Amino acid sequence: MPRKLHLNAFLMNTGHHEASWRLPESDPYAHVSLEHYVRLARTAERGTFDSLFLADGPQLWNTVAQRPAGALEPLTLLTALATATEHIGLIATASTSYNSPYNLARRFASLDIISGGRAGWNVVTTAGAEAARNFGLDAEPAHAERYARAAEFLDVALKLWDSWEDDTIVADKAAGVWGDDARIHPPRHRGTYFSVEGALNVPRGPQGYPLLVQAGSSEDGKRFAARYAEAVFTAQQTLADAQDFYADLKARTAAAGRDPEHLKVLPGIVPVIGSTEAEALARERQLEDHIVHEHGVRRLEELLRLGPGSLVLDAELPDGLPSEDAIEGAKSRYTLIVELARRERLTVRQLIGRLGGGRGHLTFAGTPEQVADTIERWFSLGAADGFNIMPPVLPSGLDTFVDHVVPILRARGLLRTEYGPRQTLRERYGLPRPANQHLTGVPALV
Amino acid sequence: MPRKLHLNAFLMNTGHHEASWRLPESDPYAHVSLEHYVRLARTAERGTFDSLFLADGPQLWNTVAQRPAGALEPLTLLTALATATEHIGLIATASTSYNSPYNLARRFASLDIISGGRAGWNVVTTAGAEAARNFGLDAEPAHAERYARAAEFLDVALKLWDSWEDDTIVADKAAGVWGDDARIHPPRHRGTYFSVEGALNVPRGPQGYPLLVQAGSSEDGKRFAARYAEAVFTAQQTLADAQDFYADLKARTAAAGRDPEHLKVLPGIVPVIGSTEAEALARERQLEDHIVHEHGVRRLEELLRLGPGSLVLDAELPDGLPSEDAIEGAKSRYTLIVELARRERLTVRQLIGRLGGGRGHLTFAGTPEQVADTIERWFSLGAADGFNIMPPVLPSGLDTFVDHVVPILRARGLLRTEYGPRQTLRERYGLPRPANQHLTGVPALV
């Protein structure tokens, strides 16, 4: 069977462009509208996407003036979407820094059961002091420490998901024996960050573990991905960078003793689509015209660790910015943005325009053919196993992608034309169901 | 308008009788079956119940041999049920000892939004060392300390639910202003158990706060209920005890400065229903015959803090049991069980039979008329504002209640005949939508 694209729909209220909510068509209450998300999920399913995805962080940003703020809690929203869809995978972001393994492992197992094996977890360590201060900490934990905690969190979660063997329930009504206690394996974990004694209180789900996704591209992030991730979301600005990242991550996965085919790399793209190139560019300009630059300047200053007033709108970035090593949160995104500005000699205004669309992801204006060409080129030249589709405006941008780009991808044999029989999310991504570590003796992904 | 009963359907896999799963009709996988719970929710909605309810504890009990163990995480399951129902309230148990306020407040706000104002929270402090050991503790926190933490948890949760004023979102597209930062109120809470700095990242829900429910009847529990609870689930074995409890709790609520009408008392009943009294008693015997007594003895020994082999199946409880003061978990249930055994001079075998049905709740075998009579008597004689209906077998016991008891209650004018227009869960219980503490200056329920 020829290799097929994996498509993930990254859903975010009125769209990924920060000014999208200002368009006449946009619902400023979309972020709390179940109907809005049901419509998007069904559109993605019409486009035979593998999955849809919700980003998240447990904090409210410092201003609600600029753009829609806050979001329904992702696992809650995805549970509601599970009942409104049949085939599509459901990937929620959840933090290893601000959850306990027992509760979170149980919630993902519950979603996996309710959705018939369609749950995925985008594992994040959560940058930023705002989040830390909502959970009893005064400052953000150091980057390396967050990743050390994440690794232990994953080890505990795998133990919890394996704490019931698949055939624990014997249901012998005549003998009055419901389950076989010998097939329950309490983690009895005592580690640096967590002590978790008992077995999970929900049976092993259809997928064994939810699909494990990761999205940080720092050194720590890549090391973590090679060990635990089965799909990786990444922001890449050029084909060459994407190819390097792809090759590096596949090599690291093999070096970790895993099959590199069992880690799928999905760069994000923000496709601004028009029926002609001119129409696409006009659409892009319309969005840029709605950006409020004061907000953008202040946000960029925060990202670059600069005080208010440090940046000049029509000048380039100043010299002497700190190196990635000095940054404790979102390291790889920091480097990407600084390199983008330097490489293309962008003014602050231009940089804000570029970031406004996709916060560092590849923003691309063109016709459906041009979008499909880019996807095919990256896919065939070793830069991607699929894409994280980030429509600049929702729902219209997803409608356009599904109605006009998906048919081209299907005609080229790159994308399935229908789902066929029900499959788990792992099966859609070509991944095995993990064996139970208590039967294999090996607590590992493969 | 004459006073109406409030009915809550307490759902638990194959039913509240511990042997229910062994009946030929029962699905031993009901605990992980969304279809099972959807069917139950729709039946309760057909019976115009105010709400349905899921109990919970974050641990697996020490044996899966005896009966179905584990459960889908309640907020996850209720979110799925929200999409399958239209009117009924959705009450989830969640622990103040093993959650963080920021995450839990957000999840309840999200369910409240998704369900159109139908979320309720049964606030529990979670007894037992098993749970504690799943969250990094070696032993169960002391009873009084758990309640102190619960009170601070509630205070923080109320601050988080009030951190957005209702009209924060201004959505001025022309000016590029989405929200009014002056209407965001970060909690900036620094307390004994929690530090929570920032505003919630989801707007205030339709109900303001979810309906707040409480179920412990110890001294600490009643004090907590008088301050925070809007509905109280309670186990009462006699009309006189239920009247005392009702009067006491209403008086405490008034003493706390709240309207006693704004706290609803709902005793649990386990109705074993037959079309004749003989049929009901035969059904009860059928259930008792399926109890495995070794399990029951061991569980009773644990509850009474006795070592294995301390109890004799056909003798009464031994003398010299500890007083409630010495019990750190589930205090009021302990006293109820010991008093029940002493009052009726039950043998251990008989006590296990009585507890097998409803773990201390009023178990009652009779015809639909007799069940309706008991409900009406308790309701009209100052013992209850409604009932927590705990069918011994599910789904059949709920079907029978809705098909045969509900029509009698309706004919007597005690229960609504239809829902009428959509209402929030608070409106169903006759409770006001709480004002925002940042507008009133008073962080309190009324």
Side-chain angles (χ1 to χ4, degrees), chain A residues 26 64-65 134 173 178 181 198, chain B residues 26 64-65 106 134 173 178 181 198:
Chain A
S26 291
V64 298
N134 292 339
K173 291 182 179 182
W178 183 77
D181 285 310
Chain B
S26 291
V64 297
R106 185 179 182 209
N134 293 339
K173 291 182 178 183
W178 183 76
D181 285 310

Side-chain angles (χ1 to χ4, degrees), chain A residues 22-23 26 56-57 63-65 70-71 73 83 98 103 106 110 133-134 136 138 173-174 178-179 181 190 195 198 201, chain B residues 22-23 26 56-57 63-65 70-71 73 83 98 103 106 110 134 136 138 173-174 178-179 181 190 195 197-198 201:
Chain A
R22 296 184 66 190
L23 298 185
S26 291
D56 199 55
T63 174
V64 298
E73 191 279 323
T83 68
Y98 306 118
N103 287 341
R106 185 180 183 209
S110 298
R133 287 196 287 258
N134 292 339
D138 285 325
K173 291 182 179 182
W178 183 77
D181 285 310
R190 296 210 158 227
S195 290
N201 55 351
Chain B
R22 295 184 65 191
L23 298 184
S26 291
D56 199 54
T63 173
V64 297
E73 193 279 323
T83 68
Y98 306 117
N103 286 342
R106 185 179 182 209
S110 298
N134 293 339
D138 285 327
K173 291 182 178 183
W178 183 76
D181 285 310
R190 297 210 157 226
S195 291
E197 176 70 17
N201 55 351

Side-chain angles (χ1 to χ4, degrees), chain B residues 415-431:
Chain B
L415 183 67
R416 65 174 72 85
T417 54
E418 56 178 11
Y419 282 116
R422 275 186 167 229
Q423 289 187 308
T424 66
L425 176 54
R426 294 186 159 273
E427 288 167 339
R428 296 249 171 260
Y429 274 96
L431 298 165

Side-chain angles (χ1 to χ4, degrees), chain A residues 307-320:
Chain A
S310 305
L311 294 178
V312 178
L313 202 51
D314 289 303
E316 293 183 32
L317 294 186
D319 293 330

Side-chain angles (χ1 to χ4, degrees), chain A residues 217-228:
Chain A
S217 302
S218 67
E219 182 60 31
D220 288 329
K222 284 188 282 196
R223 215 160 19 209
F224 183 88
R227 167 75 184 84
Y228 295 105

